[in-house]
């Protein structure tokens, strides 16, 4: 686009008509959900212009108030989609068209099954030649250029949610870096993540910060692509380093014979998690299949839970093992009616979680969570309500200072952590203004307009799941600088003299059902309470019209993180409903609560991961491999 003489603004798919086929051929129609915001055009409209079936419309002129409204013009793109639909559906049928728009697909349009047969004779005379490969060495390293977990190949560089989403392995934000093994890191005499190195391939030199990645191959350097772009928006402009220069004219992405040298300079990286180990607390628990077969409930007795005595409390709480016939409710409200109130809870299956951070971004979108920028992330002020922790485990037992040998080939485990909605919440007892309270349906709720920002609750949270708004991130762009009294400073630190960014399109980005928080308050996961309340309102309306039940139907509410998880690793629902899927997961023998021994009684539980380790493999002979909770993290 920078080199082009013409640039056309492309319409978003939610602004335009289109049609698509799925992988199996099922036909679907894409219809616009909103009016175009910036007068963009879709690919279909551009093709129709080139075919002479559509012309670019001139900007609309204001008409006198007394003039009759003009008749709506037929959208050529919509007519073209309808024409294609008529061919596939066997004729123009309004009923079929309306049903397709309603259902999202046209039944009976999948591709017919193909018949495949193998012809071995076609391979006769073909000699397979193995590619030449030279193992990388200290003096001739290998460089692998790969797509980035956030910005991909650079096409998403202007998306600040993705820029601030930590990399699943390195936990790096707002930058790329040269990944290398701890052994290679030490050989280059690098002291800490962010030390600059020169990567030379042929005659091309790239200066880029280095970062240590346990489990990475030695003498091999991985560099994510898509960064270092210029002349883009303030979000992605000159973020990171442009590694495309190393690919050369032939666009090679695996390069050999590279030299890497230390420069002696340092570049600050914004990393959200710098510790590799869990310090023996066993937040993440996993075991081998052999161990699970011997003791299905092993996860509930790991770490300090194996030594903690039974928790005897005078506070009975609202969660019990017996749903029917509970007696802890009275008219004064000093108990709980388990038969008439919802009780919300969540279970996360670590055996399914792939650590992709889709839940992190979905939660950010759903709950109006602001970005804070690289500078604030480096200070530990990231605002994500869900953090994706990752740890490394080795087969040689607990070691808080693992050796290079142990870090050469560790196992990696991931765990999403948000507010655990504790039944006996430490945060609630220390709030001087009662801003964080327990609701009748078991949520650890936040009243933002009461919060005065003492941060006592954050200090008292053993899960570090609460976030504090240091600045008014929603109104002041944290990515730009402002000149105050002749001094250039970050826009956040400029205070009332900083530039505000409350433009109309920014307001449209916000979820209208969720409060936009100001500076100086604590915020955290709410189990998407707005979705819960919306379901309650809908059910009340149904009950009013049809004299039905007030209880929300089983598993009718899905949180944003649950709906976005590609592995379906999150289950949310009503613990007071025996038929709820969350109760089935709660009864799984792999279930455990994080930091159970401190007595917080969290509503969010986890299912331990089970690894089916092949002990006959040469590098898997240690019987402790796959035991993250007891040996290495």
């Amino acid at each position: 686009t920078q080199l082009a003489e013409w640039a056309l603004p492309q319409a978003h798919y939610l602004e335009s008509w289109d049609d698509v086929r799925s992988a199996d051929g099922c036909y679907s129609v894409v219809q616009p959900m909103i009016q175009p915001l910036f007068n963009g055009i879709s690919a279909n409209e551009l093709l129709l212009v080139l075919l002479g079936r559509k012309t670019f419309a001139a900007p609309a002129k204001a008409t006198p108030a007394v003039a009759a409204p003009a008749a709506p013009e037929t959208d050529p793109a919509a007519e073209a989609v309808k024409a294609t639909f008529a061919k596939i559906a066997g004729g123009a049928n309004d009923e079929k068209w309306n049903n397709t728009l309603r259902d999202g697909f046209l039944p009976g349009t999948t591709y017919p099954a193909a018949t495949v047969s193998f012809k071995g004779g076609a391979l006769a005379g073909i000699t397979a030649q193995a590619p030449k490969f030279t193992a990388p060495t200290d003096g001739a390293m290998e460089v692998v250029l790969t797509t980035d977990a956030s910005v991909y190949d650079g096409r998403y560089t202007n998306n600040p949610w993705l820029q601030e989403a930590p990399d699943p392995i390195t936990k790096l934000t707002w930058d790329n870096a040269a990944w290398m093994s701890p052994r290679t890191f030490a050989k280059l005499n690098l002291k800490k993540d962010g030390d600059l190195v020169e990567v030379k391939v042929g005659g091309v030199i790239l200066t880029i910060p280095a970062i240590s990645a346990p489990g990475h191959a030695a003498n091999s350097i991985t560099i994510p692509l898509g960064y270092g772009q210029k002349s883009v928006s303030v979000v992605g402009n000159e973020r990171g380093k442009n590694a495309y220069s190393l690919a050369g004219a032939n666009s090679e992405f695996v390069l050999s014979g590279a030299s890497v040298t230390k420069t002696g300079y340092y570049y600050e990286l914004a990393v959200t998690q710098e510790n590799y180990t869990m310090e023996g607390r066993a937040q993440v628990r996993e075991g081998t299949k052999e161990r699970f077969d011997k003791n299905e409930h092993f996860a509930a007795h790991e770490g300090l839970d194996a030594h903690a005595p039974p928790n005897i409390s005078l506070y009975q709480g609202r969660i019990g093992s017996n749903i029917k016939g509970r007696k802890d409710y009275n008219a004064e409200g000093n108990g709980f009616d388990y038969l008439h109130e919802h009780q919300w809870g969540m279970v996360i299956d670590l055996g399914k979680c792939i650590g992709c951070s889709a839940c992190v971004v979905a939660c950010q979108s759903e709950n109006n969570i602001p970005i804070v920028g690289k500078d604030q992330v480096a200070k530990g002020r990231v605002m994500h309500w869900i953090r994706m922790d990752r740890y490394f485990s080795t087969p040689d037992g607990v070691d808080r200072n693992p050796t290079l040998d142990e870090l050469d080939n560790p196992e990696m485990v991931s765990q999403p952590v948000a507010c655990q909605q504790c039944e006996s919440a430490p945060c609630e007892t220390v709030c001087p203004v009662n801003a964080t309270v327990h609701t009748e349906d078991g949520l650890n709720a936040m009243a933002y307009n009461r919060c005065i920002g003492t941060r006592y609750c954050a200090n008292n949270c053993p899960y570090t799941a609460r976030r504090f708004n240091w600045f008014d991130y929603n109104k002041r762009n944290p990515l730009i600088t402002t000149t105050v009294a002749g001094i250039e400073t970050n826009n956040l630190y400029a205070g009332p003299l900083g530039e505000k960014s409350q433009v109309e399109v920014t307001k449209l980005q916000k979820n209208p059902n969720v409060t936009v928080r100001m500076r100086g308050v604590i915020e955290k996961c709410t189990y998407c309470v707005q979705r819960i309340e919306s379901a309650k309102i809908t059910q009340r309306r149904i009950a009013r019209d049809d004299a039905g039940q007030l209880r929300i139907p089983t598993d009718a509410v899905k949180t944003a993180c649950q709906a976005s998880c590609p592995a379906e690793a999150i289950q949310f629902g009503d613990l007071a409903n025996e038929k709820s899927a969350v109760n089935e997961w709660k009864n799984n023998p792999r279930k455990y609560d994080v930091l159970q021994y401190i007595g917080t009684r969290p509503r969010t539980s986890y299912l331990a991961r089970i690894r089916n380790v092949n002990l006959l493999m040469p590098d898997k002979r240690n019987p402790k491999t796959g035991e993250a909770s007891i040996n290495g993290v």
Side-chain angles (χ1 to χ4, degrees):
T1 4
Q2 298 174 29
L3 300 177
E5 296 182 4
W6 284 75
L8 298 177
Q10 183 177 6
H12 193 271
Y13 76 91
L14 292 178
E15 301 175 326
S16 48
W17 286 95
D18 200 359
D19 51 5
V20 294
R21 283 186 179 271
S22 64
D24 63 356
C26 185
Y27 179 80
S28 178
V29 175
V30 179
Q31 55 183 321
M33 298 288 102
I34 59 174
Q35 293 289 344
L37 294 176
F38 302 107
N39 295 322
I41 65 170
S42 66
N44 284 340
E45 291 175 305
L46 177 60
L47 293 175
L48 291 173
V49 169
L50 298 178
L51 292 172
R53 294 170 56 186
K54 177 180 171 63
T55 58
F56 287 113
K61 296 181 180 180
T63 55
V66 296
E73 296 183 2
T74 302
D75 188 341
E79 294 301 319
V81 171
K82 283 186 177 181
T84 304
F85 171 83
K87 293 179 182 178
I88 297 176
N93 186 308
D94 289 342
E95 182 179 358
K96 280 188 177 181
W97 170 256
N98 292 331
N99 289 341
T100 300
L101 293 181
R102 181 196 65 191
D103 300 336
F105 68 97
L106 179 62
T109 55
T110 56
Y111 296 132
T115 302
V116 181
S117 60
F118 176 70
K119 295 182 179 180
L123 299 178
I126 298 180
T127 302
Q129 295 183 353
K132 296 181 179 179
F133 176 76
T134 303
T137 62
D138 293 348
M141 296 189 183
E142 173 190 65
V143 174
V144 179
L145 305 179
T146 181
T147 53
D148 184 69
S150 294
V151 304
Y152 196 55
D153 58 359
R155 68 187 67 182
Y156 303 123
T157 190
N158 286 331
N159 189 324
W161 289 344
L162 296 179
Q163 286 275 12
E164 198 156 288
D167 183 88
I169 299 175
T170 64
K171 296 300 161 186
L172 179 63
T173 65
W174 292 101
D175 271 302
N176 62 343
W179 299 14
M180 58 185 69
S181 71
R183 186 176 297 278
T184 303
F185 200 84
K187 285 182 179 179
L188 294 174
N189 197 28
L190 302 175
K191 301 303 181 182
K192 57 182 179 179
D193 292 341
D195 283 349
L196 285 170
V197 295
E198 283 189 351
V199 180
K200 184 176 181 180
V201 180
V204 181
I205 297 177
L206 175 67
T207 303
I208 188 170
I211 193 167
S212 176
H216 197 285
N219 295 326
S220 180
I221 310 296
T222 297
I223 304 179
L225 297 168
Y227 289 88
Q229 297 189 50
K230 299 180 179 179
S231 302
V232 292
S233 82
V234 66
V235 175
N237 196 46
E238 295 186 340
R239 302 284 178 187
K241 308 299 179 181
N242 181 13
Y244 276 109
S245 58
L246 297 177
N250 296 327
S251 296
E252 297 179 1
F253 297 102
V254 180
L255 311 168
S256 58
S259 63
V260 182
T261 56
K262 179 181 177 180
T263 66
Y265 294 96
Y266 176 74
Y267 178 89
E268 184 179 20
L269 297 176
V271 180
T272 60
Q273 181 184 353
E274 296 180 348
N275 59 308
Y276 291 163
T277 68
M278 293 189 293
E279 307 297 336
R281 290 168 295 179
Q283 295 98 310
V284 182
R285 300 183 184 180
E286 66 171 10
T288 60
K289 182 179 181 299
E290 289 76 13
R291 187 172 184 224
F292 178 76
D293 291 339
K294 293 178 181 178
N295 179 13
E296 292 184 343
H297 299 274
F298 75 92
H301 307 286
E302 287 293 343
L304 294 179
D305 290 341
H307 310 288
N311 182 29
I312 301 175
S313 174
L314 297 177
Y315 172 63
Q316 187 172 6
R318 295 181 173 130
I319 295 181
S321 58
N322 181 19
I323 292 178
K324 293 183 178 179
R326 288 181 59 90
K327 305 297 184 183
D328 58 339
Y329 176 77
N330 56 50
E332 287 76 23
N334 296 325
F336 168 67
D337 184 356
Y338 217 82
L339 298 178
H340 299 89
E341 295 289 348
H342 302 91
Q343 291 301 304
W344 304 107
M346 178 179 287
V347 182
I348 301 174
D349 189 347
L350 299 181
K352 293 182 177 181
C353 178
I354 58 176
C356 65
S357 297
C359 57
V360 176
V361 178
C363 178
Q364 189 167 18
S365 172
E366 172 73 18
N367 294 292
N368 298 332
I369 301 173
I371 63 163
V372 300
K374 177 181 175 180
D375 178 61
Q376 298 300 310
V377 173
K379 288 180 170 64
R381 296 174 177 176
V382 66
M383 292 297 297
H384 295 142
W385 287 5
I386 304 176
R387 70 175 190 269
M388 185 64 67
D389 288 346
R390 66 87 180 89
Y391 303 99
F392 298 98
S393 63
T394 63
D396 297 322
V398 176
D399 189 349
R400 298 182 184 182
N401 295 297
T403 65
L404 292 179
D405 290 336
E406 291 173 329
L407 293 178
D408 278 342
N409 191 26
E411 299 282 357
M412 192 186 84
V413 291
S414 299
Q415 181 182 43
V417 180
C419 172
Q420 304 290 287
Q421 306 292 338
C422 300
E423 190 63 38
S424 180
C427 56
E428 296 174 4
T429 59
V430 296
C431 180
V433 292
N434 214 27
T436 175
V437 295
H438 222 70
T439 67
E440 60 185 9
D441 48 1
L443 297 184
N444 180 236
M446 278 296 306
Y448 297 120
N449 58 347
R450 287 186 197 168
C451 180
I452 59 175
T454 63
R455 291 179 286 153
Y456 293 162
C457 58
N459 291 334
N460 222 35
C461 176
Y463 305 97
T464 59
R466 288 174 168 262
R467 307 289 180 258
F468 182 69
N469 265 305
W470 290 90
F471 298 98
D472 188 3
Y473 299 110
N474 280 294
K475 288 186 178 180
R476 304 190 187 282
N477 190 338
L479 306 179
I480 62 176
T481 57
T482 304
T483 301
V484 179
I487 301 175
E488 192 175 72
T489 182
N490 185 279
N491 190 49
L492 295 177
Y493 291 97
L497 300 178
E499 178 183 326
K500 293 185 178 181
S501 58
Q502 280 293 87
V503 294
E504 192 66 27
V505 69
T506 306
K507 295 179 182 178
L508 292 175
Q509 173 192 330
K510 304 292 190 297
N511 184 347
N513 296 323
V514 180
T515 304
V516 178
R517 283 79 58 190
M518 291 292 291
R519 68 180 296 236
V521 302
I522 287 285
E523 57 184 73
K524 65 171 192 67
C525 165
T526 63
Y527 273 169
C528 287
V529 66
Q530 68 279 0
R531 295 191 176 198
I532 295 175
E533 294 303 317
S534 177
K536 287 181 180 179
I537 293 170
T538 300
Q539 191 60 28
R540 286 174 188 149
R541 177 180 54 80
I542 296 174
R544 179 196 62 194
D545 295 341
D546 300 333
Q549 296 293 324
L550 287 175
R551 184 175 288 277
I552 298 174
T554 304
D555 297 334
V557 180
K558 289 185 180 295
T559 60
C561 56
Q562 177 187 11
S564 66
C565 180
E568 298 183 352
I570 302 175
Q571 192 62 258
F572 173 81
D574 184 7
L575 298 175
N577 184 347
E578 291 179 313
K579 298 180 180 179
S580 177
V582 72
N583 272 319
E584 180 182 351
W585 285 33
K586 285 277 187 180
N587 294 326
N588 191 299
R590 295 186 286 129
K591 176 255 182 185
Y592 73 96
D593 297 331
V594 174
L595 305 184
Q596 178 180 343
Y597 57 89
I598 65 176
T600 55
R601 303 174 67 192
R603 285 283 179 108
T604 297
S605 302
Y606 294 85
L607 300 184
R609 181 176 181 176
I610 305 299
R611 292 186 187 269
N612 191 10
V613 180
N614 186 350
L615 299 179
L616 299 179
M617 294 296 290
D619 59 341
K620 299 296 182 184
R621 289 175 181 167
N622 192 315
K624 291 184 179 180
T625 297
E627 301 282 359
S629 50
I630 61 173
N631 67 301
V633 292

